[in-house]
Amino acid sequence: MKNLEILIKEHFGELSNEEVSIIRSYFCEEKLQKNDFFTQPDKICDKLSFVKSGILRVYALSDGKEITQWISTENFLLTEVMGFFFDQPNRWTIQALTATELLTITKTNYLKLCKTFPKWNVIEKRLILKCFGMLEDRVFSHLSMTAEERYDLYFEQNKELFNQVPLQYIASVLGMTAETLSRIRKRQHQNS
């Protein structure tokens, strides 16, 4: 994992060392074992975390089928947005696929940080816009790329996951069946 201070600066913008220390003081260490839940449906998520190490899967059930929305790895932020920001029941289950280490801020501490550190509003806006941009990129790729192009892009950005995560989860993230992913992978290997 990158140093937390570097991560904070990457996610939240240019900050002084003192400002980074203030933000860092609101986060605590958290560990999850493989298969532990970060959040579950119908509860309200009360934490936001940096993933120090490990892999987590964000998924939901739809018509009895698990749909993987995201696979979170180190150096990413993680929460259930509707629960954490809007106090609504979680739509997503977030589960550790490996032993995981997190730096976590609780909702209570998050609200305290908002009150005691006025610059937080600007930082939070930057963070939300960055997340929105990632979401736009993901939607655009699903609308404009073929399944094979989505696979190529995801593989290029996340090679390490293909040996660590069940392929049906990756297929789901890419909006395809496991069989389609298998055919694409087979073609890729034949062409290389």
Side-chain angles (χ1 to χ4, degrees):
M1 176 190 170
K2 294 179 183 176
N3 178 301
L4 179 64
E5 286 72 20
I6 292 170
L7 273 178
I8 288 172
K9 287 180 180 183
E10 282 179 6
H11 282 283
F12 303 129
E14 286 303 314
L15 299 167
S16 70
N17 290 338
E18 183 181 333
E19 290 171 324
V20 170
S21 292
I22 290 169
I23 293 170
R24 173 61 180 98
S25 71
Y26 285 88
F27 284 81
C28 62
E29 303 269 340
E30 182 182 5
K31 292 186 180 189
L32 299 175
Q33 298 304 313
K34 182 179 180 177
N35 297 323
D36 283 354
F37 291 97
F38 179 85
T39 63
Q40 291 182 291
D42 300 325
K43 295 185 178 179
I44 296 176
C45 182
D46 65 348
K47 57 189 175 178
L48 170 78
S49 298
F50 282 106
V51 181
K52 284 180 64 176
S53 66
I55 302 171
L56 298 104
R57 179 170 77 116
V58 180
Y59 69 96
L61 286 176
S62 177
D63 295 327
K65 181 177 158 188
E66 288 183 358
I67 305 296
T68 301
Q69 184 248 15
W70 183 257
I71 297 171
S72 189
T73 56
E74 71 178 38
N75 302 326
F76 275 95
L77 280 168
L78 182 71
T79 194
E80 211 289 351
V81 172
M82 297 308 286
F84 188 77
F85 290 103
F86 300 104
D87 295 319
Q88 294 181 10
N90 301 333
R91 298 171 296 166
W92 302 98
T93 299
I94 303 176
Q95 186 175 26
L97 295 178
T98 64
T100 302
E101 293 181 27
L102 306 166
L103 288 171
T104 298
I105 187 169
T106 63
K107 177 76 177 248
T108 301
N109 280 341
Y110 185 88
L111 294 173
K112 285 180 189 173
L113 178 60
C114 292
K115 286 182 182 173
T116 60
F117 189 58
K119 191 173 180 179
W120 185 254
N121 290 327
V122 173
I123 294 168
E124 183 180 50
K125 181 179 179 181
R126 182 177 288 134
L127 172 65
I128 290 168
L129 290 172
K130 188 175 183 178
C131 293
F132 187 74
M134 288 175 62
L135 179 62
E136 282 185 324
D137 289 345
R138 183 138 179 240
V139 169
F140 183 75
S141 73
H142 277 269
L143 295 173
S144 66
M145 296 175 141
T146 65
E148 196 156 333
E149 289 169 335
R150 288 194 311 271
Y151 169 85
D152 289 342
L153 179 63
Y154 195 79
F155 182 79
E156 197 57 40
Q157 294 171 342
N158 301 283
K159 287 179 186 167
E160 72 287 347
L161 287 181
F162 284 76
N163 294 322
Q164 299 175 313
V165 173
L167 292 178
Q168 73 261 23
Y169 299 161
I170 293 172
S172 185
V173 167
L174 294 173
M176 62 182 73
T177 65
E179 294 78 20
T180 299
L181 178 68
S182 181
R183 281 193 299 276
I184 291 170
R185 286 174 57 84
K186 187 176 179 181
R187 277 196 302 269
Q188 296 283 347
H189 291 301
Q190 288 173 348
N191 294 334
S192 56

